[in-house]
């Protein structure tokens, strides 16, 4: 049974990393997109945003936390409730494992597969990251190749490196 999109709401806002669009239900955040332009946010959210209600007040806390994150503040995003009910079980397990990677650190796809209780499923872990509907909140940019190289990121490897650099600088500033 497909959820009624009128039960969903969205917000769009500009950050230091570009435009962000968020879509949520009563259960939690369902999608997050980061793009260069407002039109690209609308395009990436697609028909979901057409059927949802524009209610920035419902997402105000998420918006402030993301704005702070993009400014380098070390606020936790792990406790933001998510709506990933329609995802395959392994993807959900991989996404939850990914949320445990500390800010400013990285882990390999093999580590992620093991943490999701399927040690030999590192390719499936890669697919879970590729289909991540909530970048930043599910910090797939923290997942790297076994030899330490940056691999695959929907926002591009430059953005992945920039996010890791932002986190490392803010993490080092705490020490």
């Amino acid at each position: 049974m497909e959820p009624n999109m009128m039960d969903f709401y969205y917000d769009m806002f500009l950050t230091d990393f570009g435009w962000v669009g968020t879509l949520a239900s009563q259960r939690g955040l369902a999608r997050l997109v980061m793009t260069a332009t407002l039109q690209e946010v609308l395009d990436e959210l697609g028909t979901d945003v057409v059927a949802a209600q524009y209610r920035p007040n419902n997402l105000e806390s998420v918006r402030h936390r993301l704005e702070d994150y993009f400014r380098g503040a070390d606020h936790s995003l792990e406790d933001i409730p998510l709506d990933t009910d329609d995802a395959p079980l392994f993807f959900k397990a991989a996404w939850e494992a990914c949320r445990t990677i500390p800010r400013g650190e990285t882990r390999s796809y093999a580590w992620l597969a093991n943490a999701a209780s399927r040690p030999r499923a590192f390719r499936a872990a890669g697919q879970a990251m590729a289909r991540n509907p909530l970048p930043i909140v599910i910090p797939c940019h923290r997942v790297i190749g076994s030899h330490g190289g940056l691999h695959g990121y929907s926002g591009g490897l430059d953005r992945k490196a920039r996010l890791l650099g932002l986190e490392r600088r803010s993490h080092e500033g705490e020490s």
Side-chain angles (χ1 to χ4, degrees):
M1 177 181 207
E2 186 159 321
N4 178 354
M5 286 308 293
M6 291 308 289
D7 295 336
F8 282 77
Y9 41 92
Y10 70 96
D11 188 16
M12 298 173 291
F13 51 95
L14 187 59
T15 72
D16 294 344
F17 270 68
W19 282 92
V20 173
T22 53
L23 178 75
S25 71
Q26 294 297 328
R27 291 185 300 269
L29 199 59
R31 299 243 343 254
L32 185 149
V33 299
M34 297 184 311
T35 65
T37 68
L38 180 58
Q39 184 59 52
E40 289 173 326
V41 167
L42 291 169
D43 292 345
E44 284 200 34
L45 288 175
T47 57
D48 290 346
V49 77
V50 172
Q53 299 175 53
Y54 178 65
R55 289 206 179 148
N57 291 343
N58 289 24
L59 289 157
E60 187 173 14
S61 172
V62 170
R63 177 185 194 158
H64 291 306
R65 290 169 77 179
L66 287 168
E67 288 170 335
D68 286 347
Y69 169 86
F70 288 120
R71 281 190 214 100
D74 193 15
H75 295 301
S76 171
L77 303 175
E78 294 91 35
D79 62 341
I80 293 175
L82 306 182
D83 180 354
T84 58
D85 290 352
D86 294 338
L89 289 176
F90 177 74
F91 281 20
K92 288 197 285 193
W95 294 338
E96 285 304 314
C98 183
R99 292 184 90 187
T100 70
I101 302 170
R103 181 185 176 107
E105 297 183 23
T106 58
R107 300 290 186 273
S108 70
Y109 291 98
W111 176 91
L112 186 63
N114 192 53
S117 300
R118 299 237 337 252
R120 294 166 28 126
F122 55 90
R123 289 183 197 269
Q127 286 301 307
M129 295 302 99
R131 290 187 174 82
N132 176 7
L134 294 157
I136 309 302
V137 177
I138 298 172
C140 55
H141 60 279
R142 296 179 190 158
V143 182
I144 60 172
S146 296
H147 298 291
L150 300 185
H151 294 281
Y153 188 67
S154 62
L157 294 182
D158 288 344
R159 180 177 283 161
K160 184 172 187 165
R162 189 172 167 210
L163 289 168
L164 289 170
L166 170 75
E167 291 184 356
R168 287 182 179 133
R169 281 189 302 280
S170 65
H171 188 68
E172 289 167 0
E174 294 173 1
S175 305

